[in-house]
Amino acid sequence: MTAPTAASDIVHARATRKVFLRLVPLLMAAYFMAFVDRTNVGLAKNALEIDAGINAAAYGLGAGLFFITYAFLEVPSNLILHRIGAKVWISRIAVTWGLITIAMMFISSPMTFYILRLLLGAAEAGLYPGIMYLITTWFAQKDRATAVGLILTASSVAFIVANPIGGAIMQLDGIAGLHGWQWLFVLEGIPTVILGVILFFMLPNSPEKAPWLEPEEARELTRRAVGNETEESNPGAIVRTAMSKPFLLAIAGIYFINQIATYGVIFFVPSIVEAMNVTDSFMIGLISGVVGIGAVIGVVFIPRVLKRNPGTEVRLIGITTAAVTVLAMLFILVGNPVAKMLILSAAMLFIVGVQPLYWSVLMARLGGVAAAAGLAFVNTIGLTGAFVGPYAFGLAETATGSPSSGLWVVVGTTFLGLLLVPLLRKLLERHDSENPTQELVEHKTEKPAVILGHAL
């Protein structure tokens, strides 16, 4: 690749600013609504037990089933996106998941709950790794972690905002003969369908198709984001790629554990709050949103720490994982409700704040169709943890009668995650010594995950 000139640097910087202003907000909006629609069921948990006979274990299973079809269809969905373009595919994802969210109003039994959650996962499959893939095609490596951080910020803000809004919607109980939880699904599904239509008209397939970029800007973006397009993309080749890059399996394992903690807490925090004798649905949502504040702080704070200590990504992953273990144990031991919520928010700071590091490390070592497949592969493995988390939390609550007992699941799994951190370090060192890619050479003094801190 030809070395950039001062003039091309200016063109690329100008084009990248346009992408941050025109493309990233669309992707943030999509992930914002995805997070709202996949997690709003947490506010409906206790109402569904009364109206549809869905107990804690059934709820945990249904909440987690979303991630089975989501994970199973991740790789094929991302390969379709790679072939037909983001405009059609991401628009299709948004419209179908919005319609199924609306259909959740017809839940009448555990079985209908399971079926609709499976369908919702199938509809949304490929969105997140699709967004990650788009980041690899629009951004140079030095800008990718910033974009990932913004996407994760959108999901964290969604948790802060959506919980009180959802709690307020739940107070519409009885209007037009519908339960509050039915209004919740309808009024949060409609905006997603509208967003899907907007995406079809506003989301370009590539820099060359963006009407708001000059031709030279589009060329410069593509040149600096270009990856290896020569790798095979069939399922067998994807598995072979993963096995030939063992660090993918290590990151996938750590991400699997991270997602157990993430979605176990997210789906059960409204029940944890309600168990603290909070009965008003709006207040339940408002207090639950405190957890999201910790997540937002995390995606800002952790990269800033890394910026001051370059080259310590794996060490920071280990520290954050250990911090979650300690905070989960502290949550269980403390009895004061205010202290418990603050501790839980601090735990989410580390649980969510560390996630940009996983994707940045991957993006530095994958490009082209390998990125589309590899990112989806890691997300597939990780999201099986998103199934395990809510299900394990539900079993724990059923056995003990306390929603907070699920934090023992977090203690156990994050301790296991610590054991994978030294392995990840060794595998990354081996891969980088054997495959000194151009991007890593260019940024050898500034590790990929650090870059998020530059813009935050």
Side-chain angles (χ1 to χ4, degrees):
M1 185 172 70
T2 304
T5 65
S8 67
D9 285 345
I10 293 172
V11 171
H12 183 259
R14 184 174 68 240
T16 300
R17 283 195 297 270
K18 289 184 179 180
V19 177
F20 272 114
L21 290 173
R22 303 293 291 269
L23 177 68
V24 171
L26 290 174
L27 301 180
M28 290 176 69
Y31 198 55
F32 179 96
M33 290 308 304
F35 197 84
V36 169
D37 290 343
R38 76 172 64 161
T39 61
N40 57 12
V41 70
L43 289 167
K45 173 178 175 288
N46 290 338
L48 287 172
E49 182 170 3
I50 296 171
D51 297 329
I54 299 171
N55 63 22
Y59 164 78
L61 175 59
L65 282 174
F66 167 93
F67 297 99
I68 295 299
T69 46
Y70 188 106
F72 182 74
L73 296 173
E74 286 272 71
V75 170
S77 177
N78 230 30
L79 294 177
I80 292 172
L81 182 147
H82 179 264
R83 289 170 183 166
I84 72 174
K87 175 188 289 290
V88 171
W89 198 243
I90 291 184
S91 299
R92 191 283 306 164
I93 288 173
V95 170
T96 52
W97 106 60
L99 291 173
I100 294 171
T101 296
I102 296 170
M104 295 278 286
M105 69 178 291
F106 298 111
I107 292 172
S108 59
S109 66
M111 185 55 65
T112 56
F113 180 52
Y114 299 155
I115 292 171
L116 285 167
R117 290 293 293 180
L118 285 167
L119 290 174
L120 186 64
E124 196 183 313
L127 177 70
Y128 185 70
I131 291 173
M132 295 300 102
Y133 170 66
L134 285 181
I135 289 172
T136 69
T137 63
W138 283 80
F139 291 100
Q141 172 61 25
K142 68 184 181 65
D143 299 309
R144 289 172 183 169
T146 301
V148 174
L150 290 171
I151 299 301
L152 291 177
T153 299
S155 66
S156 300
V157 170
F159 196 70
I160 297 170
V161 174
N163 272 292
I165 291 176
I169 293 173
M170 290 282 288
Q171 294 182 334
L172 298 177
D173 190 69
I175 295 178
L178 297 178
H179 296 293
W181 58 268
Q182 291 176 305
W183 279 115
L184 178 70
F185 293 131
V186 171
L187 295 182
E188 292 189 345
I190 290 173
T192 302
V193 176
I194 296 172
L195 176 63
V197 175
I198 293 172
L199 289 170
F200 180 78
F201 290 102
M202 295 188 65
L203 184 64
N205 281 328
S206 66
E208 291 76 12
K209 300 292 184 180
W212 34 267
L213 286 173
E214 299 295 330
E216 64 174 348
E217 293 172 341
R219 286 193 296 270
E220 194 62 29
L221 285 173
T222 300
R223 185 174 73 86
R224 299 203 188 196
V226 68
N228 178 14
E229 294 285 350
T230 63
E231 297 188 44
E232 296 179 84
S233 60
N234 60 74
I238 292 168
V239 174
R240 289 194 297 274
T241 297
M243 298 306 294
S244 69
K245 295 179 172 64
F247 75 89
L248 282 176
L249 300 177
I251 292 179
I254 294 172
Y255 187 48
F256 168 83
I257 288 167
N258 176 275
Q259 293 294 280
I260 290 176
T262 299
Y263 283 98
V265 172
I266 285 172
F267 280 116
F268 276 79
V269 68
S271 293
I272 291 172
V273 172
E274 190 166 358
M276 297 174 180
N277 297 319
V278 180
T279 57
D280 180 79
S281 60
F282 174 74
M283 289 304 299
I284 291 171
L286 188 63
I287 296 171
S288 298
V290 170
V291 174
I293 295 174
V296 171
I297 294 173
V299 295
V300 175
F301 173 72
I302 290 178
R304 283 188 176 276
V305 173
L306 189 58
K307 179 181 178 181
R308 294 178 176 86
N309 300 275
T312 60
E313 299 94 335
V314 177
R315 184 187 308 169
L316 188 54
I317 289 173
I319 291 171
T320 54
T321 304
V324 174
T325 306
V326 172
L327 287 167
M329 293 182 66
L330 190 59
F331 176 91
I332 294 167
L333 296 174
V334 168
N336 182 274
V338 174
K340 289 177 84 73
M341 290 307 299
L342 291 175
I343 292 167
L344 197 58
S345 183
M348 286 298 282
L349 183 156
F350 294 107
I351 292 170
V352 178
V354 71
Q355 291 176 17
L357 307 190
Y358 307 149
W359 300 107
S360 181
V361 168
L362 289 170
M363 288 175 181
R365 295 164 174 84
L366 299 170
V369 70
L375 295 172
F377 174 83
V378 171
N379 210 40
T380 297
I381 301 300
L383 285 180
T384 57
F387 164 73
V388 173
Y391 188 38
F393 268 59
L395 292 176
E397 181 181 342
T398 300
T400 65
S402 170
S404 296
S405 61
L407 271 294
W408 282 114
V409 175
V410 177
V411 172
T413 54
T414 53
F415 178 77
L416 292 176
L418 283 172
L419 303 180
L420 290 176
V421 175
L423 175 63
L424 175 62
R425 178 187 295 277
K426 291 181 180 179
L427 293 175
L428 285 176
E429 289 174 349
R430 181 188 303 171
H431 178 273
D432 293 346
S433 66
E434 296 173 354
N435 303 275
T437 66
Q438 181 66 33
E439 286 286 1
L440 287 175
V441 170
E442 288 179 356
H443 302 292
K444 63 184 178 181
T445 61
E446 183 174 65
K447 295 294 186 177
V450 184
I451 300 165
L452 178 58
H454 293 337
L456 298 175

